[in-house]
């Protein structure tokens, strides 16, 4: 490769970046020496590229300061295939809403940011040797020990730290697990259920079968008919209906997977929040035959953006997992992982959960009161006294699509049961909505419900 070619290559790349406004106007470019080191070329090669850009007016110089980007308008490219906008729909990304009734969010207004920052700083000093090395794929041992202790007395999940894998989200953990197991597994998923997980397995090429629910949760009779290799379930607070699976159904499901040498994936996504009852024991705590894979997350207790989840594997799967991930590197933020370990170890994690439990209890009670007052006999509330959301059935002539669109147009973040169904739900007089109460401020609850009432009753005017 000649020096002339390298100069053209650098020149063309910088020109394209400037035209597409990857550089701000008047932004300083790297020095000739620095760019020559970065590109592994001579200083003269970089000098030739810069001089060509200068000659064409893309950059200018300041004496003894270097090269800077000229202020340029973005080049208009008229191409229908490129510039055609997406259709307007409630599924489009919107950065924020006036009122959020989302089930995916948490209230971080009371998050102890100063305390967390202290633990981040402390983690850097205590574990700087560990953070300077290639991280273990399972996550820091210190955090895994803290999690093992936490879930043992909170959820009855008795395990060793080596069985725990900590990662940046449930989806990443499951992806790595199924790479270790093999493809072409038949996976049973609740319907309605967690749509992201359903889509994850479909995207991985797994054979996904949807299992209906009854008043006890996942239908074991349909599981027996489908004969899946893995059963994904949310027994302690079914997502999104909120149903709590009774002990009789849990034993029936455990017995079936044990007899047929299959596995349960227990997604225990928000078990920390129960109202008026004690915590519901996990399926894992009942399993004596190593047939349950346990999933937990800090997304609901702390914040979704922290991206720290964990998976507890039974030993038969753990050996396969360890073999395939032995040389892998985690994508987990180690500084946050160590900070979380210190947060749990200090007792401040549990203190924060108790504080937020009180906050969410108040919000939930206010939501229920305002909903009943606003909609009266036109609303049925499925309140299972758990988690950070509940379901309501509202009588309306509007379709699901119309409700979603109108909520979007009126600046309300709202999801319906349609999002979680494998197939389009029936168009009945009652529509099922998922009401998340975590993020919204107390003073916004009544205005949000009244605005929702206006949307629902628009068709009657």
């Amino acid at each position: 490769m000649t020096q002339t070619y390298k100069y053209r290559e650098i020149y063309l790349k910088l020109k394209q970046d400037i035209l597409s406004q990857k550089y701000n106007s008047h932004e300083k470019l790297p020095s000739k020496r620095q760019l020559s080191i970065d590109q592994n070329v001579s200083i003269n090669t970089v000098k030739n590229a810069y001089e060509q850009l200068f000659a064409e007016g893309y950059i200018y110089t300041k004496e003894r300061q270097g090269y800077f980007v000229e202020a340029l308008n973005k080049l208009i490219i008229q191409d229908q295939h490129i510039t055609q906008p997406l259709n307007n729909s409630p599924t489009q990304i919107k950065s924020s809403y006036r009122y959020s009734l989302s089930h995916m969010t948490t209230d971080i207004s009371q998050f102890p940011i100063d305390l967390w920052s202290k633990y981040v700083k402390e983690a850097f000093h205590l574990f700087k040797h560990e953070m300077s090395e290639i991280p273990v794929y399972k996550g820091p041992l210190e955090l895994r020990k803290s999690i093992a202790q936490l879930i043992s007395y909170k959820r009855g999940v008795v395990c060793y730290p080596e069985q725990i894998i900590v990662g940046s989200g449930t989806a990443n953990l499951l992806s790595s697990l199924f790479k270790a197991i093999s493809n072409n597994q038949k996976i049973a998923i609740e319907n309605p259920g967690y749509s992201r997980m359903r889509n994850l397995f479909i995207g991985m090429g797994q054979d996904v079968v949807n299992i209906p629910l009854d008043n006890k949760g996942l239908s074991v009779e349909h599981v027996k008919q489908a004969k899946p290799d893995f059963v994904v379930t949310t027994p302690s607070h079914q997502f999104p209906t909120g149903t709590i699976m009774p002990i009789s159904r849990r034993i029936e499901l455990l017995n079936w997977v044990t007899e047929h040498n299959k596995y349960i994936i227990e997604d225990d996504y928000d078990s920390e929040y129960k109202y008026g009852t004690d915590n519901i024991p996990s399926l894992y705590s009942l399993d004596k035959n190593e047939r349950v894979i346990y999933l937990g997350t800090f997304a609901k207790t702390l914040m979704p953006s922290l991206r720290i989840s964990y998976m507890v594997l039974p030993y038969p799967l753990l050996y396969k997992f360890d073999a395939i991930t032995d040389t892998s590197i985690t994508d987990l933020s180690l500084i946050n992982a160590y900070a979380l370990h210190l947060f749990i170890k200090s007792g401040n994690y549990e203190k924060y959960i108790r504080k937020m439990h009180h906050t969410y209890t108040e919000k939930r009670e206010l939501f229920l009161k305002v909903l009943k007052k606003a909609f009266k006999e036109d609303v049925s509330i499925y309140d299972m006294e758990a988690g950070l959301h509940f379901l309501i059935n509202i009588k309306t002539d509007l379709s699901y699509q119309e409700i979603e669109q109108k909520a979007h147009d009126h600046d309300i973040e709202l999801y319906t049961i349609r999002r979680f169904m494998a197939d389009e739900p029936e168009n009945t007089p009652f529509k099922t909505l998922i009401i998340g109460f975590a993020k919204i401020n107390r003073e916004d609850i009544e205005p949000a419900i009244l605005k929702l009432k206006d949307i629902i009753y628009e068709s009657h005017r």
Side-chain angles (χ1 to χ4, degrees):
M1 187 178 292
T2 66
Q3 181 169 305
T4 303
Y5 182 87
K6 287 300 296 184
Y7 129 75
R8 292 289 299 177
E9 185 177 274
I10 294 169
Y11 151 77
L12 289 170
K13 179 66 168 63
L14 285 170
K15 184 172 76 169
Q16 183 58 44
D17 287 348
I18 292 169
L19 284 173
S20 60
Q21 296 189 334
K22 291 182 180 178
Y23 290 99
N24 296 323
S25 297
H26 309 297
E27 181 175 343
K28 190 178 186 299
L29 292 170
S31 68
K32 289 180 289 186
R33 180 176 297 279
Q34 184 60 53
L35 191 56
S36 71
I37 294 172
D38 293 344
Q39 297 294 322
N40 195 26
V41 297
S42 70
I43 292 178
N44 281 337
T45 299
V46 176
K47 181 173 178 290
N48 290 337
Y50 276 169
E51 285 182 352
Q52 184 63 35
L53 290 167
F54 175 80
E56 295 180 22
Y58 289 98
I59 63 176
Y60 64 92
T61 64
K62 288 184 181 180
E63 190 170 349
R64 298 181 183 277
Q65 294 186 44
Y67 294 89
F68 296 79
V69 177
E70 283 282 4
L72 301 175
N73 292 328
K74 190 169 184 179
L75 183 65
I76 296 173
I77 302 175
Q78 291 187 329
D79 187 321
Q80 293 298 317
H81 298 290
I82 296 176
T83 60
Q84 186 175 359
L86 294 172
N87 292 330
N88 185 32
S89 73
T91 56
Q92 280 185 258
I93 295 173
K94 188 172 181 177
S95 59
S96 62
Y97 290 81
R98 176 67 182 87
Y99 303 111
S100 176
L101 305 185
S102 171
H103 59 282
M104 297 181 284
T105 54
T106 58
D107 184 351
I108 63 170
S109 64
Q110 299 179 66
F111 186 78
I113 186 62
D114 291 338
L115 188 60
W116 182 263
S117 299
K118 173 197 165 196
Y119 289 135
V120 168
K121 186 175 180 180
E122 188 176 331
F124 183 81
H125 290 291
L126 288 174
F127 304 105
K128 58 185 176 183
H129 173 72
E130 289 84 352
M131 288 190 287
S132 68
E133 297 184 336
I134 295 175
V136 177
Y137 189 78
K138 288 183 178 180
L141 178 60
E142 291 80 4
L143 177 57
R144 287 185 280 132
K145 285 181 177 178
S146 294
I147 291 173
Q149 185 178 17
L150 182 71
I151 61 179
S152 176
Y153 74 85
K154 294 288 286 186
R155 305 297 298 128
V157 177
V158 179
C159 65
Y160 293 99
E162 62 261 28
Q163 292 179 261
I164 299 175
I165 298 93
V166 186
S168 60
T170 301
N172 288 343
L173 291 170
L174 287 174
S175 294
S176 60
L177 172 62
F178 278 85
K179 285 178 184 176
I181 294 171
S182 74
N183 292 326
N184 304 318
Q185 301 290 329
K186 180 180 278 191
I187 302 175
I189 294 186
E190 297 166 330
N191 185 32
Y194 188 25
S195 56
R196 289 181 189 272
M197 194 170 291
R198 181 186 294 116
N199 294 335
L200 169 71
F201 286 125
I202 291 173
M204 291 168 60
Q206 307 292 354
D207 181 11
V208 174
V209 55
N210 298 295
I211 304 297
L213 310 175
D214 58 26
N215 62 348
K216 293 183 179 180
L218 182 80
S219 169
V220 178
E221 286 305 313
H222 284 83
V223 169
K224 292 176 180 178
Q225 293 171 23
K227 300 178 181 178
D229 301 299
F230 293 83
V231 181
V232 182
T233 183
T234 49
S236 295
H237 186 225
Q238 199 282 327
F239 186 82
T241 66
T243 302
I244 297 173
M245 186 182 290
I247 186 66
S248 58
R249 179 65 56 86
R250 292 173 185 236
I251 291 173
E252 185 182 8
L253 182 58
L254 278 169
N255 284 345
W256 185 84
V257 297
T258 300
E259 290 168 2
H260 294 84
N261 201 30
K262 308 299 184 182
Y263 288 97
I264 294 169
I265 299 176
E266 178 182 12
D267 186 3
D268 206 14
Y269 66 100
D270 68 352
S271 61
E272 292 81 3
Y273 298 115
K274 296 289 183 288
Y275 311 100
T277 63
D278 292 334
N279 283 336
I280 308 300
S282 64
L283 258 177
Y284 189 102
S285 67
L286 297 172
D287 178 30
K288 307 304 178 186
N289 301 288
E290 296 196 280
R291 308 316 305 173
V292 177
I293 300 160
Y294 182 84
L295 296 176
T297 180
F298 294 95
K300 295 294 186 181
T301 55
L302 299 178
M303 61 185 86
S305 60
L306 191 62
R307 304 297 297 154
I308 298 181
S309 299
Y310 56 93
M311 174 172 65
V312 182
L313 290 181
Y315 277 101
L317 294 180
L318 182 65
Y319 298 138
K320 294 181 180 180
F321 184 89
D322 285 348
I324 202 168
T325 60
D326 184 50
T327 58
S328 300
I329 300 175
T330 182
D331 56 359
L332 183 69
S333 166
L334 288 190
I335 191 71
N336 281 334
Y338 282 117
L340 177 57
H341 157 64
L342 296 173
F343 194 37
I344 296 172
K345 185 180 177 182
S346 68
N348 282 306
Y349 174 78
E350 282 296 301
K351 183 179 178 181
Y352 177 66
I353 296 302
R354 290 193 295 270
K355 180 179 181 181
M356 295 312 299
H357 190 282
H358 177 72
T359 297
Y360 291 141
T361 298
E362 289 185 341
K363 284 187 180 183
R364 176 178 161 277
E365 289 175 352
L366 181 57
F367 242 115
L368 296 173
K369 179 181 177 181
V370 174
L371 274 168
K372 291 172 183 176
K373 181 180 178 182
F375 289 97
K376 298 182 174 60
E377 67 277 1
D378 286 344
V379 66
S380 298
I381 301 174
Y382 294 87
D383 176 27
M384 295 299 179
E385 299 187 337
L388 301 180
H389 74 275
F390 53 85
L391 263 62
I392 63 172
N393 273 359
I394 288 187
K395 187 176 183 180
T396 178
D397 295 333
L398 296 174
S399 67
Y400 280 109
Q401 293 92 329
E402 288 172 329
I403 293 172
E404 293 163 3
Q405 184 64 62
K406 288 177 181 293
H408 179 84
D409 293 343
H410 287 77
D411 217 15
I412 299 178
E413 186 176 14
L414 176 70
Y415 298 93
T416 72
I417 198 68
R418 191 170 76 108
R419 178 183 176 91
F420 310 102
M421 299 289 292
D423 302 305
E424 196 71 18
E426 295 181 13
N427 188 22
T428 64
F430 283 88
K431 302 299 185 298
T432 305
L433 313 181
I434 288 80
I435 303 296
F437 54 84
K439 186 177 181 180
I440 194 168
N441 297 324
R442 282 177 55 87
E443 61 270 19
D444 288 334
I445 291 175
E446 186 168 9
I449 295 303
L450 293 178
K451 189 174 281 288
L452 178 62
K453 180 181 177 181
D454 288 340
I455 292 170
I456 295 298
Y457 290 147
E458 270 183 3
S459 60
H460 299 301
R461 295 171 186 167

